[in-house]
Amino acid sequence: MTETAPAADRTPTPAPDSVGGPARTSPGTGRFSPRGILAAFVVALAVALVAHAVNILALFAGQGVTVTVLVQLSNYFALSSLFLFVLVFLAALIGGLTSWYYSLISGVVSGVLAALIGSVLVVATSGTGFDGSLWGQIFGTLASLNLIFWIAATVATVTLGRAIYTRMLGSRTSIGAERRVALVRIPASNLAEGLLTHLERQPVDAAAADAQWDDYVAALAAEGWQTVEVPAADTLADSVFVEDAVVLFGDTAVVTSPGSPSRRDETAAVEESVRALRLGLEIERIQLPGTLDGGDVLKVDSTVYVGRSGRTNAEGIRQLRLILAPLGYRVVAVPISKALHLKSAATALPDGTVIGDPALIDEPGVFGRFLPVPEASGADVVVLSDDAVLMAASAPKTAELIADLGYRVVTVDISEFEKLEAGVTCLSVRIR
């Protein structure tokens, strides 16, 4: 079933803070909600148990294989492990596991403090008096007796603890159930000056582009998406292609580093709009010399295909891989030399099938499931829901093909933007 998007009939979209009422974190997913407290408890328990087990087993192997030695070591480090549990629990509650570097700091601080507190209490309960030399010995255990303990605590916090925290609290799956937000940005007055790489420049009708943009936004709204306008950037010709400035992965927003220097001023306002949504999204950034355009990022379940294009370089892909690995995503680099971006050549249907124009893809075999489409502009679709997609009206044969697969297809005319190598995905950032 193919539908044409309704004509636009909209008033200016409110500022991000007023989308659907005061923006807020979904119920039950905040750090101090019951779910957040449970996540902190599970993380702290896992980290403490792992650090305790690794430490006593390592020392046990060095002390001799006897059950008595094992029990003695376990008793000796029990207080340290208990305090590690408390410290990691508190760190998780105050946001100390919301990124890998915060987790590293939380792990080091918790491990060192727990080891020192545990050692002090063991000495205090033995009746030994404290003096300067004894304090020196206690701190010296950080490089000897307690070394394995605090290192194990740190590693467990950054790896296992962070993974558990992300799974239990960080995925924000309930955001999608409560609201679907689409960031959009009105075309600049100098849109016709937008960059071109693979196409010859054609005249762009600014008035027609504005009308098409209105229809695009109206189509999203008609499908239940709450549209939020990023503040206009009237001198940044390509700013309407907001997708290139930020990419969402669950509760993490990755602010990009556009490959074209003329587009790097676009990201600041987009980042501010993401923050203003108050959805508790963690902000990460791609830093120069790394470059990454959002149009090169295609998410299919836990696999992230990234186009190695003229706008996205190897360093940008490397940085994205480091950001996403702790979140459970696998990054697959895809050579792109015949199109502006990866998503100019391929996107994915709701069931994960990648569709695209084989003539524009260097290595179609990199995708697990690939379906060729008859029109180049049909390679770019926006997933609206589990059973519906949005695509350009310029690809009627592809629309028929996708509809025949059981999807409802909504089409919009974006011909003025297609003159600038753009597709439907370029014009919005969808936050589920």
Side-chain angles (χ1 to χ4, degrees), residues 22-36 168-181 250-251 277-281 431-432:
R24 55 190 173 86
T25 302
S26 298
T29 61
R31 290 196 299 270
F32 297 101
S33 67
R35 184 178 173 186
M168 294 187 65
L169 188 61
S171 64
R172 300 289 181 192
T173 53
S174 60
I175 288 178
E178 184 179 341
R179 63 155 58 92
R180 296 182 297 171
V181 177
D251 71 335
L277 291 173
R278 298 178 186 171
L279 293 177
L281 298 173
I431 304 174
R432 299 173 183 274

Side-chain angles (χ1 to χ4, degrees), residues 56 172 354:
I56 64 172
R172 300 289 181 192
V354 175

Side-chain angles (χ1 to χ4, degrees), residues 351-365:
D351 66 1
T353 300
V354 175
I355 62 171
D357 183 353
L360 298 178
I361 302 172
D362 295 22
E363 298 289 342

